[in-house]
Amino acid sequence: MEARFVLSFLCMTGVYVESNPGPLEDVIIDRYFVPTVCPREVESGDYVRYHYNGTFTDGKKFDSSHDRGTPFSGQVGLGRQITGMDRGIQGMCVNERRRITVPPHLAYGSLGAGNVIPPDTTLVFDVVMLDIWNMADKVQMRILSKGQDCKRTVQNSDFVRYHYNGTLLDGTPFDSSYNRQQTYDTYVGQDWLIKGMEEGLLGMCVGEKRNIIIPPFLAYGEKGYGTEIPPHASLIFDVLLVDLHNPKDDITVENQVVPESCSRKSVVGDYIRYHYNATFLDGRQFDSSYQRNNTYNTYIGMGYVIAGMDKALQGVCMGEKRRITMPPHLAYGENGAGKDIPGSAVLVFDIHVIDFHNPKDTVEIQITHKPEECNLTSSVDDLIHYHYNCSLMDGTLLFSSKDYENPQEVVLGADKVIDGLDEGLRGMCVGERRVLIIPPHLGHGERGVNGVPGSAVLHFQLELVGIQKGVPEGYLFVWLKDTPSELFQALDLNNDNEVPPEEFSEFIKAQVAEGKGRLRPGQDPDSVIQSMFTNQDRNKDGKITAEELKLKVDEDAEKARHEEL
């Protein structure tokens, strides 16, 4: 009760002082701690907050704001505290400590103060200054560091995410987003923040750090906030702007690197493979396909990826690189995604398009060189010899015939190579060169093979170096001219009415040499002829008779087996 009584007198607008002859003592000030940095000093008209211990000259305490847990708040120089204190705190800095000795006539004079302070008593106050402000004060902003790349700054109606440390003017911390490990997320200019913070955030860039000092009337005013922020408290915020967007933002595309050759651009329904590095606006990485050593594969425009990426992947070329900045409402929204992506986060993707295709795509054939004379072209059943380089669309070499001593050979239509290559090798002249673009459904499919990623579009460079015309599937030999009218007699070279393997082989080789017939290419001729002989030698006695040469009808008489001869 006595402490409250003394405090009420400390704040009186006037004190009666008995007039005594002779000079009067002034206050005695002992500045026993002065801060190294003092941005401002108390002046008349300022508002102050300070803690004090009040004692008599013998050290006996009569009052203490520390004991009450509530500092003194008031305006200086307007008679709202005893005259000695008005004079004694003039010129003080925040965190300065003074011992102010106040003579009676500048304190409570000859009347004293109730039962607490006797008449004509000298008072001693140990004061620590906590806060200084003035109604003319404005928000003070100091840039501690700027962001590296500032494309836009905070404006009213923007949504921001920022980290901060909040302290009172004397350095007492009251809050920190870092301690909560979570940014403060809010709109600017919509009264979601104290006025001083809204003002202090305007014009900031992502990555910028600011020191913002806010006077009480632009902060929490005379009521303070909870137990952490006292009434009439100036606030200091060290702010780091992490993120910035506007609800009206669309994706932005920049830093595009487009290949000189772009035969077509991606459209809705295409299947695309791309690499990416993903970061937040402040440059912190949260994901990368490169670290997994796998492309990200998806359909475009069909809702398989976030809306912003679905949009950004349309209209790209194979090999294109671009940076995509994506506002949260086109990414993971206000809820974020797991532990890696916080709510309301703007995302930045640096993507490299490897390839794309459509399930309806066919083999793309580009003829890069064709000989002037082209009398013979490759077709199904032909044995061809060719050179090739096989690469991914980003230029990564997968396979090359140069790794082997001889050109590659294959019988077209025999399912020995991927469908797209088989198709692309048809209709070529010897010496012709082609480039093939083969979609995965005509290549190695969605699973790929050793060395070929799943769903990869393949790029082939081809050169045809040789053609051996083939025979139809299931045949070992075909006639190129009319069959002899008396075939068995032609086979029976010694006219003994039977054809052994030696006669059969001699006859067939003669037909091939004279251009009258053709053996299946790509196999040993003697082995092919032996197989032909075995097919005709129905009773397996090692010779062919005229009867065996006839067409053999199946037992059900519905199907007939073909014979080359």
Side-chain angles (χ1 to χ4, degrees):
M1 179 67 101
E2 290 178 344
R4 291 196 194 95
F5 181 71
V6 172
L7 183 62
S8 66
F9 271 84
L10 188 63
C11 300
M12 287 192 334
T13 57
V15 175
Y16 170 77
V17 179
E18 183 179 358
S19 176
N20 292 315
L24 298 176
E25 297 179 49
D26 202 348
V27 294
I28 299 173
I29 298 173
D30 176 15
R31 304 180 69 185
Y32 62 88
F33 175 77
V34 180
T36 304
V37 178
C38 182
R40 72 185 291 176
E41 298 178 348
V42 176
E43 297 179 2
S44 183
D46 285 342
Y47 290 82
V48 295
R49 279 192 315 112
Y50 60 83
H51 267 305
Y52 68 90
N53 283 319
T55 63
F56 300 120
T57 53
D58 61 2
K60 181 180 179 181
K61 183 165 63 176
F62 64 84
D63 191 19
S64 173
S65 64
H66 295 282
D67 294 345
R68 291 189 300 276
T70 303
F72 173 82
S73 298
Q75 196 171 10
V76 179
L78 300 181
R80 295 182 179 177
Q81 55 184 342
I82 58 176
T83 305
M85 286 299 288
D86 250 357
R87 293 184 183 181
I89 65 173
Q90 293 277 345
M92 280 192 81
C93 307
V94 171
N95 285 328
E96 181 178 340
R97 295 177 179 270
R98 287 185 179 186
R99 183 171 291 107
I100 303 171
T101 303
V102 182
H105 68 280
L106 297 178
Y108 296 99
S110 59
L111 297 178
N115 298 324
V116 179
I117 299 177
D120 299 317
T121 302
T122 298
L123 306 179
V124 179
F125 293 92
D126 272 305
V127 178
V128 55
M129 186 61 62
L130 304 177
D131 205 339
I132 309 168
W133 59 279
N134 195 289
M135 289 300 296
D137 287 346
K138 298 180 180 179
V139 175
Q140 300 177 51
M141 292 171 288
R142 181 164 57 96
I143 297 175
L144 304 178
S145 64
K146 291 187 175 181
Q148 294 183 350
D149 187 15
C150 186
K151 295 183 175 61
R152 66 183 292 178
T153 60
V154 177
Q155 300 178 8
N156 283 327
S157 79
D158 283 343
F159 190 91
V160 295
R161 297 192 307 117
Y162 60 91
H163 270 302
Y164 68 90
N165 285 317
T167 64
L168 304 178
L169 208 59
D170 65 347
T172 302
F174 63 82
D175 194 14
S176 173
S177 64
Y178 296 99
N179 293 342
R180 294 190 298 274
Q181 296 183 344
Q182 185 176 358
T183 56
Y184 192 86
D185 307 342
T186 185
Y187 283 97
V188 177
Q190 298 189 20
D191 296 328
W192 287 28
L193 292 164
I194 56 175
K195 292 186 179 301
M197 182 59 83
E198 288 203 334
E199 184 177 335
L201 290 170
L202 291 176
M204 284 192 77
C205 302
V206 170
E208 182 178 334
K209 293 182 179 179
R210 277 189 184 182
N211 176 266
I212 303 171
I213 302 176
I214 303 174
F217 58 89
L218 296 176
Y220 293 99
E222 60 184 12
K223 293 182 178 180
Y225 188 84
T227 59
E228 302 297 327
I229 300 177
H232 303 293
S234 300
L235 306 181
I236 299 178
F237 290 92
D238 284 320
V239 174
L240 167 62
L241 188 64
V242 172
D243 208 341
L244 160 67
H245 78 276
N246 195 283
K248 297 179 181 179
D249 286 347
D250 198 352
I251 63 168
T252 58
V253 177
E254 55 188 334
N255 294 349
Q256 288 181 276
V257 179
V258 181
E260 292 183 5
S261 175
C262 182
S263 57
R264 83 172 181 94
K265 296 184 178 181
S266 60
V267 296
V268 171
D270 283 344
Y271 190 86
I272 192 168
R273 298 190 315 122
Y274 63 96
H275 270 303
Y276 68 88
N277 284 317
T279 64
F280 299 114
L281 271 183
D282 60 2
R284 289 180 298 118
Q285 187 176 81
F286 64 85
D287 193 15
S288 172
S289 65
Y290 295 99
Q291 292 177 354
R292 294 189 297 275
N293 199 30
N294 281 315
T295 56
Y296 193 88
N297 308 334
T298 187
Y299 284 98
I300 300 173
M302 299 175 68
Y304 288 100
V305 290
I306 52 179
M309 186 61 79
D310 238 359
K311 186 174 184 178
L313 291 173
Q314 296 178 37
V316 297
C317 300
M318 291 189 192
E320 182 173 338
K321 297 180 179 180
R322 56 168 56 178
R323 170 169 289 182
I324 305 159
T325 303
M326 200 174 301
H329 51 274
L330 294 176
Y332 292 99
E334 60 184 15
N335 293 324
K339 296 180 180 180
D340 295 326
I341 302 176
S344 302
V346 177
L347 307 181
V348 180
F349 290 89
D350 286 303
I351 69 168
H352 179 198
V353 178
I354 303 302
D355 61 40
F356 55 83
H357 73 279
N358 195 282
K360 299 178 181 179
D361 282 350
T362 58
V363 177
E364 181 182 338
I365 300 175
Q366 305 168 20
I367 298 174
T368 56
H369 172 73
K370 194 162 188 174
E372 292 183 4
E373 293 186 7
C374 182
N375 299 319
L376 185 67
T377 60
S378 57
S379 61
V380 173
D381 299 321
D382 289 349
L383 176 69
I384 62 167
H385 296 79
Y386 63 99
H387 280 299
Y388 73 93
N389 288 320
C390 175
S391 305
L392 299 177
M393 294 304 294
D394 64 356
T396 302
L397 182 64
L398 298 177
F399 312 108
S400 175
S401 61
K402 296 179 181 177
D403 296 333
Y404 305 94
E405 291 184 3
N406 299 310
Q408 295 295 290
E409 66 174 35
V410 70
V411 175
L412 294 179
D415 292 329
K416 299 299 183 181
V417 293
I418 57 175
D419 291 346
L421 179 57
D422 197 292
E423 179 182 337
L425 285 166
R426 300 178 190 181
M428 291 187 74
C429 306
V430 173
E432 182 177 335
R433 292 192 289 271
R434 288 182 176 182
V435 170
L436 307 183
I437 307 298
I438 301 177
H441 52 275
L442 296 175
H444 292 287
E446 61 182 15
R447 294 187 178 182
V449 295
N450 186 29
V452 180
S455 300
V457 178
L458 300 180
H459 181 280
F460 277 87
Q461 294 174 310
L462 302 177
E463 180 180 6
L464 189 65
V465 296
I467 301 174
Q468 295 180 46
K469 298 303 291 183
V471 299
E473 179 66 27
Y475 284 79
L476 299 174
F477 173 89
V478 293
W479 290 100
L480 301 179
K481 296 183 179 180
D482 291 339
T483 308
S485 58
E486 297 295 336
L487 181 57
F488 183 78
Q489 284 79 0
L491 281 166
D492 186 12
L493 300 179
N494 61 3
N495 299 316
D496 62 356
N497 293 319
E498 60 184 23
V499 179
E502 295 78 16
E503 281 185 334
F504 186 86
S505 177
E506 183 179 347
F507 174 81
I508 295 297
K509 288 182 178 179
Q511 308 311 303
V512 172
E514 295 170 11
K516 296 178 180 179
R518 181 189 306 140
L519 288 170
R520 173 172 284 278
Q523 299 178 22
D524 176 53
D526 289 332
S527 297
V528 174
I529 294 171
Q530 180 60 48
S531 295
M532 292 173 62
F533 181 86
T534 300
N535 288 341
Q536 300 296 333
D537 182 13
R538 310 209 185 267
N539 60 8
K540 310 303 179 188
D541 63 354
K543 55 182 179 293
I544 301 172
T545 64
E547 185 66 24
E548 285 177 316
L549 197 60
K550 294 179 180 180
L551 183 65
K552 181 179 178 182
V553 180
D554 291 340
E555 291 179 359
D556 60 7
E558 293 181 359
K559 295 182 180 179
R561 176 183 173 186
H562 80 263
E563 303 294 349
E564 288 86 346
L565 301 181

